[in-house]
Amino acid sequence: MALDISAANAIFTITVPGLYNAPVTLKNFATDRAWDVAEQSCAQTQMSIDGYLNAGFVPEPVDQNIVLSAASESVVVFEAIMTAQQTARTLYRLGAEITLTSTGRKYTMVNGVLRGMAPMPSAGRMLADRHFAVRWQAIYPAGL
């Protein structure tokens, strides 16, 4: 039996200790892309001069790009984080959880930082989608 792979019923909540007292559910994502997650290296390798492959584990962060519609009320969450960081001259640590009910999977993101965003939307005939770059310490998958 094939799984329903719709992203329309995904639930994305974000936590920002010290800024928001409760998790915030992000809504109104961009039309064609809600988020991207970069490939994470699972192993570091070196080839010895005499032909042996040596490998080891080295922890690596995970980059995620969250894309919201220009009309999304959730944009203010990221604008508030950016403003608070600039005002306090410190970083706020983020947590998040994505529940994909269509595939029965949940992903927990830990110890993240907002590392990049445009301070305002680009504009053409219409306002452009907003992109928010977050770097996570780790993302842990689990079943529902």
Side-chain angles (χ1 to χ4, degrees):
M1 172 187 255
L3 290 174
D4 169 10
I5 59 169
S6 174
N9 56 7
I11 302 166
F12 194 138
T13 57
I14 189 167
T15 57
V16 190
L19 192 59
Y20 289 99
N21 293 327
V24 178
T25 300
L26 301 179
K27 296 181 179 180
N28 198 356
F29 293 94
T31 302
D32 292 321
R33 181 76 55 206
W35 62 80
D36 290 314
V37 179
E39 179 180 286
Q40 183 180 26
S41 292
C42 298
Q44 296 292 317
T45 62
Q46 296 177 334
M47 187 65 116
S48 69
I49 197 166
D50 55 344
Y52 291 93
L53 178 64
N54 300 295
F57 172 80
V58 177
E60 283 203 15
V62 183
D63 289 330
Q64 182 179 41
N65 189 37
I66 301 164
V67 189
L68 299 174
S69 165
S72 174
E73 292 179 6
S74 298
V75 165
V76 299
V77 172
F78 293 100
E79 289 180 339
I81 296 167
M82 180 185 70
T83 301
Q85 288 184 165
Q86 290 173 334
T87 302
R89 294 185 177 267
T90 190
L91 294 175
Y92 281 80
R93 295 296 174 149
L94 313 176
E97 186 174 277
I98 295 175
T99 302
L100 302 177
T101 56
S102 59
T103 60
R105 304 295 295 161
K106 177 174 69 172
Y107 299 87
T108 302
M109 289 79 86
V110 297
N111 200 21
V113 292
L114 176 63
R115 63 176 195 83
M117 64 174 272
M120 63 181 284
S122 297
R125 292 178 69 182
M126 296 179 68
L127 294 176
D129 294 336
R130 302 291 301 273
H131 295 254
F132 306 98
V134 177
R135 179 163 288 160
W136 301 105
Q137 176 179 308
I139 297 177
Y140 299 109
L144 291 179

